[in-house]
Amino acid sequence: MSSSSTDQPTPAEYLPVLFGFAINQIGGVTSRLGIPDALAASALTADELATATGAHAGFLLRLLRAATTAGLLAVDAQGRFSLTVLGGMYRSDSPVQAAPLDAMHAAPAVWQAWGALEESVRTGKPAFNLVHGKGLFDHLGGDPELAGRFHAAMGAGSAVQLPAITRGFDFTGFGHVIDVGGGNGTHLAAILAANPALRGTVFDTADGVLEAPGVLKDAGVADRCEITAGSFFDSVPAGADGYLLKNILHDWDDASSKKILDNIRSGLARNGRVVVFSSVLSEGRQNEDPLEALGAAIFDIEMMVVTTGRERTLTEFEQLFAASGLRLTKVTPLPCPFLYYALEAVAA
Ligand SMILES: C[S@@+](CC[C@H](N)C(=O)[O-])C[C@H]1O[C@@H](n2cnc3c(N)ncnc32)[C@H](O)[C@@H]1O
């Protein structure tokens, strides 16, 4: 981004950098008080909203003014607040689903971890582990409330990514695909529903696949889909011609990711392909939207804060594939925010 002719940064440049955290909290607290849903039916005054939410009237008015200045709300001459298009993404029925994402990031355990980013960068240790003494996934086992927020946030991400994958990626060349780390089967169910000749296998941990039978049955694809439980660090079912990894490798460092890819490579059918669906960090490619690139970069720091994983550049993906005897052959941009791609690799 360019600076003004005086070489001083403009407010548009420095405000998000200095005060992005505050704007996030203004939107998040407005959302958690239930204001977007309260305004869904009609515009309301600050006093009406205070009654509806039980919040302190004077402080709420100040929050509403700030949210209006930030572009989330509009206010009319009678002092009635309404949602803007931007604020509407916090409604619980919004297709963009900002609310579950915000609920996860603003949860105290995650918010505290972001506070340890400096120590994380100094030491090379994940901030979440530094603050809580264990990793996110171990922590989730003992924190059902955060686990609920986490799964809702993952679902919100998938609600945007799944249509982009089923519309933007061509599955016609595959006979049998295995969704590695496929969770409850939502992703594979959508792919199988859109590709009636395709067969599939959901592969995840025993806990991860617990809900898969119901999801596959409800989607009407259970007769074309198996469910296999196991750890991708031990082995991955062999013989499929497509191995899908959606939002998996970014959970893991390079050594662990190589182990997953090694296990896939050893069972890959002749002419088989590995397809990684992932955000890809910008390397300054032409025609790249800087805000999309910023979104991917923020994901990378988020992975640094809450996991031992990372986002990667295309070059880093090529190196990761090569280390497991795979060769990146095709890169398909998908119609989805934050530089989301399908990366196809074959045996080298
Ligand atoms: C970030 S989620 C992604 C889920 C799904 N692919 C999606 O995009 O919505 C990571 C998945 O990896 C699974 N997973 C974690 N460790 C695993 C392991 N050792 N073996 C198999 N799956 C594992 C988790 O259960 C979870 O379903």
Side-chain angles (χ1 to χ4, degrees), residues 137 150 154 158 161 179-184 187 203-205 208 230-233 245-248 250-252 340:
F137 293 109
F150 175 81
M154 294 304 108
S158 279
Q161 290 159 357
D179 194 11
V180 179
N184 67 7
H187 178 227
F203 178 72
D204 205 295
T205 60
S231 170
F232 45 47
F233 293 118
L245 288 156
K246 175 174 170 289
N247 301 349
I248 297 298
H250 77 166
D251 283 343
W252 304 101
Y340 205 72

Side-chain angles (χ1 to χ4, degrees), residues 107-108 140 142-150:
L140 288 182
D143 186 343
E145 193 199 338
L146 182 59
R149 293 181 189 207
F150 175 81

Side-chain angles (χ1 to χ4, degrees), residues 98-176:
L101 291 174
D102 178 73
M104 179 183 79
H105 293 120
V110 176
W111 185 247
Q112 285 159 10
W114 274 91
L117 177 60
E118 178 185 342
E119 194 183 348
S120 179
V121 173
R122 287 187 186 280
T123 61
K125 296 183 178 139
F128 196 96
N129 300 51
L130 287 169
V131 170
H132 300 292
K134 57 182 155 191
L136 172 71
F137 293 109
D138 288 337
H139 180 96
L140 288 182
D143 186 343
E145 193 199 338
L146 182 59
R149 293 181 189 207
F150 175 81
H151 292 303
M154 294 304 108
S158 279
V160 177
Q161 290 159 357
L162 275 185
I165 290 171
T166 50
R167 265 189 278 123
F169 186 78
D170 182 6
F171 286 93
T172 49
F174 293 108
H176 177 201

